[in-house]
Amino acid sequence: MRGDRLFFLNSWITSPQRVGAVAPSGAALANLMTRDCTAATAPILELGPGTGAFSSRLIQRGVREEDLTLVESGPEFVKLLQERLPRARVLCMDAAGLASVRLYACGGAGAAISGLPLLNMSTRKIVKILAGTFRQLRPGGALYQFSYGMRCPVPRPVLDRLGLRATFVGRAMMNVPPAAVYRLTRRPPTKIASAPASWAGQR
């Protein structure tokens, strides 16, 4: 873990906007981010996995390594992940490009776990990431996102535009720094009210 912290710190110094934190996520945050995930949730998409803290916890929860798709834009993290998780699919790409690729032949992922620093990103990029991610999720799939801020890192107008809702999951107070976790899901389709009986036959 000390080696991971130094590795993460060096990466943050080199590219603070991309990395977004000076240390990898701790056990408390990893537990909270993955607590709804089981083998039945697979396959699982992970965005910005870094050193693999969430990936390791998912495997402990019964998710097979080969059922993980890890999207990481940092070459130094990609190399580390390939060494640690040789059976996982590790993609060196920006998560904003997810809308242009097809990761799953059928169905889709049951969940997406995001370690991306959304607070460091523009609204336009957040929209691209979320739209692309939900294209990769099957119906009922959820995106789990954490934030060091005091509120959901996805602005309400973005949620409305994409037809999503955010639910507060909990706060990992033992993480350094403390972090809040949110679950993003698709809103149910709006039901069209039936016309009153008196309207029957009218145009």
Side-chain angles (χ1 to χ4, degrees):
M1 286 298 296
R2 182 177 181 182
D4 279 2
R5 286 195 293 269
L6 290 174
F7 185 88
F8 219 94
L9 178 60
N10 288 333
S11 297
W12 177 81
I13 292 173
T14 302
S15 183
Q17 286 294 111
R18 172 171 59 82
V19 178
V22 298
S25 300
L29 180 55
N31 285 333
L32 191 57
M33 283 284 286
T34 63
R35 73 177 188 183
D36 294 338
C37 298
T38 66
T41 313
I44 293 178
L45 175 63
E46 190 174 347
L47 313 178
T51 57
F54 298 157
S55 309
S56 298
R57 192 67 188 97
L58 287 168
I59 292 171
Q60 292 172 5
R61 292 190 183 282
V63 179
R64 299 185 307 166
E65 187 176 314
E66 51 266 39
D67 284 334
L68 296 176
T69 295
L70 313 179
V71 174
E72 174 57 60
S73 63
E76 72 279 21
F77 288 115
V78 168
K79 182 178 180 181
L80 180 66
L81 291 165
Q82 289 172 333
E83 293 173 352
R84 291 184 172 181
L85 304 166
R87 295 191 299 278
R89 175 168 51 169
V90 183
L91 304 177
C92 185
M93 64 176 289
D94 190 327
L98 282 172
S100 62
V101 297
R102 186 181 182 186
L103 298 181
Y104 306 99
C106 58
I113 306 295
S114 174
L116 297 174
L118 296 188
L119 293 178
N120 292 352
M121 299 178 183
S122 67
T123 299
R124 182 178 180 182
K125 184 163 187 176
I126 293 174
V127 169
K128 287 185 176 181
I129 291 172
L130 295 183
T133 298
F134 275 90
R135 285 192 62 179
Q136 308 296 340
L137 295 179
R138 59 180 179 251
L143 165 64
Y144 294 85
Q145 175 70 51
F146 77 87
S147 175
Y148 297 129
M150 296 305 295
R151 61 182 65 184
C152 179
V154 182
R156 181 57 185 267
V158 173
L159 295 172
D160 292 341
R161 175 178 174 180
L162 297 176
L164 303 176
R165 61 183 176 189
T167 304
F168 177 69
V169 175
R171 192 173 297 276
M173 297 303 297
M174 298 301 293
N175 193 70
V176 181
V181 174
Y182 297 86
R183 179 173 59 249
L184 275 61
T185 54
R186 298 180 180 92
R187 295 177 185 175
T190 302
K191 295 182 179 179
I192 300 176
S194 301
S198 60
W199 290 7
Q202 297 183 16
R203 293 184 181 180

